[in-house]
Amino acid sequence: MRAIPTDPRRLAAGLMRRLGAATQVHFSYPLKVAHQWFRVPVIDGVGAQHVASYEPWMSSILKVLLDAAPNSMFVDVGANVGQTLLKVRGEYPNVPYVAFEPNPHCVHYLHELIRANPTLRDVVLYPVGLADRVQMLPLIVEYDTDGQGTIVADFREADDKKLQMLVAVVDIPCVQHFTA
């Protein structure tokens, strides 16, 4: 038998998943990450994963990286639905943040997350992936906002249940052209 989570946020996230409520309800909730409060939208279930704190190791790694380079910019390649964005800006609210995300479902959610939080309005979001040349590639995911999606052919085992969508990818010279 599974242990019942004692953290109310984990309990709520688990209940929402089991009841299917997360796919039928649109709302937002306040969430404190490190030292900052954020307003987190939940849209068709997307964003509910922010309720439960996971990847605790990530906060430690981000702190080491950002403390080592205090005047640097954070570049998030594969921003998904903003898990890293909230962790970085929770601890370092003024660090310049540039995000790349090719998945249109995730890009839509990120726009809503940024819109809901005035402190995130300076985040630069490019709705593309990064590759060795400008092209359209299939993004392979298990579900619309899968954080483990990939544009790398044969990176994961083939599975007929996986979804594919064509996404735009650009190379570094293209990024430099737009950011210069």
Side-chain angles (χ1 to χ4, degrees):
M1 181 171 206
R2 262 189 203 177
I4 296 174
T6 55
D7 179 357
R9 293 182 301 182
R10 271 187 189 271
L11 181 60
L15 285 172
M16 288 170 59
R17 274 193 307 275
R18 290 204 182 251
L19 297 173
T23 61
Q24 301 167 15
V25 180
H26 298 213
F27 61 94
S28 65
Y29 61 93
L31 177 68
K32 187 173 186 182
V33 180
H35 310 292
Q36 301 294 317
W37 282 96
F38 298 99
R39 193 99 198 121
V40 178
V42 176
I43 305 164
D44 292 332
V46 179
Q49 62 269 52
H50 293 302
V51 173
S53 178
Y54 58 97
E55 298 177 334
W57 52 269
M58 176 72 79
S59 298
S60 301
I61 290 172
L62 291 171
K63 185 157 180 45
V64 169
L65 290 173
L66 292 166
D67 284 349
N71 296 317
S72 62
M73 169 189 300
F74 192 89
V75 179
D76 187 349
V77 179
N80 194 248
V81 294
Q83 302 92 316
T84 303
L85 171 60
L86 294 180
K87 283 182 170 64
V88 169
R89 282 299 186 85
E91 189 72 40
Y92 302 90
N94 299 315
V95 72
Y97 200 100
V98 176
F100 293 88
E101 177 54 57
N103 184 327
H105 301 285
C106 295
V107 169
H108 171 73
Y109 179 80
L110 285 166
H111 280 297
E112 294 302 319
L113 179 64
I114 290 167
R115 182 179 304 150
N117 293 280
T119 61
L120 300 180
R121 299 251 170 95
D122 62 337
V123 169
V124 178
L125 173 60
Y126 291 101
V128 295
L130 295 179
D132 60 346
R133 64 183 182 272
V134 177
Q135 60 186 319
M136 297 294 287
L137 289 175
L139 174 66
I140 303 160
V141 295
E142 281 193 41
Y143 54 92
D144 287 344
T145 58
D146 183 2
Q148 296 184 30
T150 183
I151 58 171
V152 178
D154 303 320
F155 186 69
R156 293 198 170 73
E157 287 184 29
D159 185 345
D160 292 338
K161 295 178 185 170
K162 302 249 180 186
L163 305 171
Q164 288 191 25
M165 60 184 94
L166 278 179
V167 297
V169 297
V170 298
D171 58 7
I172 297 301
C174 185
V175 171
Q176 290 170 332
H177 173 75
F178 288 110
T179 58

